[in-house]
Amino acid sequence: QVQLVESGGGLVQPGGSLRLSCVVSRNIFNRYDMGWYRQAPGKQREFVALITSKRTKYAEFVKGRFTISRDNAKTTVYLQMNTLQPEDTAVYYCNTAPNQYTNWGQGTQVTVSS
């Protein structure tokens, strides 16, 4: 059973924006807080943002540029990414947060390049 399906990535110029979506199976969405993570080529996967029913938390390198949100009716988590920079190039994944309690999805590729 597929638990996480990410989408919305693509190629964007520096300074551009993208909105990522992650459809989460209901049993996972209703039980855990959710987060976004990313893995750049040759690097380890890293935390980007998380959302609970009461708060959000961001990695320092995305503060003020990225916004995480959730739609409970659609069991979907979003990541609005603005002012993208080449160093934001990575495969972006969603999963439970702060600990990962389910298998990783396929992720969605974000490439920031002119």
Side-chain angles (χ1 to χ4, degrees), residues 50-105:
L50 69 79
I51 185 166
T52 74
S53 60
K54 298 181 180 180
R55 69 183 182 97
T56 56
K57 180 181 178 180
Y58 298 91
E60 282 297 323
F61 55 78
V62 302
K63 277 186 178 179
R65 300 190 298 127
F66 292 8
T67 303
I68 189 171
S69 61
R70 58 192 291 164
D71 184 326
N72 293 338
K74 296 182 179 180
T75 66
T76 300
V77 183
Y78 302 98
L79 187 67
Q80 176 66 44
M81 306 187 296
N82 298 327
T83 320
L84 284 161
Q85 300 301 318
E87 52 267 33
D88 295 317
T89 295
V91 179
Y92 284 71
Y93 302 87
C94 68
N95 207 318
T96 58
N99 300 310
Q100 292 77 60
Y101 292 113
T102 191
N103 294 329
W104 295 96

Side-chain angles (χ1 to χ4, degrees), residues 36-53:
W36 283 95
Y37 307 82
R38 70 185 188 184
Q39 187 168 20
K43 296 186 177 181
Q44 290 194 346
R45 189 149 31 202
E46 61 183 352
F47 167 78
V48 175
L50 69 79
I51 185 166
T52 74
S53 60

Side-chain angles (χ1 to χ4, degrees), residues 8-60:
L11 173 64
V12 62
Q13 293 187 343
S17 298
L18 283 174
R19 187 195 194 203
L20 307 183
S21 299
C22 176
V23 179
V24 185
S25 62
R26 188 165 295 277
N27 63 318
I28 296 295
F29 191 89
N30 290 343
R31 185 173 181 181
Y32 299 104
D33 297 324
M34 296 300 300
W36 283 95
Y37 307 82
R38 70 185 188 184
Q39 187 168 20
K43 296 186 177 181
Q44 290 194 346
R45 189 149 31 202
E46 61 183 352
F47 167 78
V48 175
L50 69 79
I51 185 166
T52 74
S53 60
K54 298 181 180 180
R55 69 183 182 97
T56 56
K57 180 181 178 180
Y58 298 91
E60 282 297 323

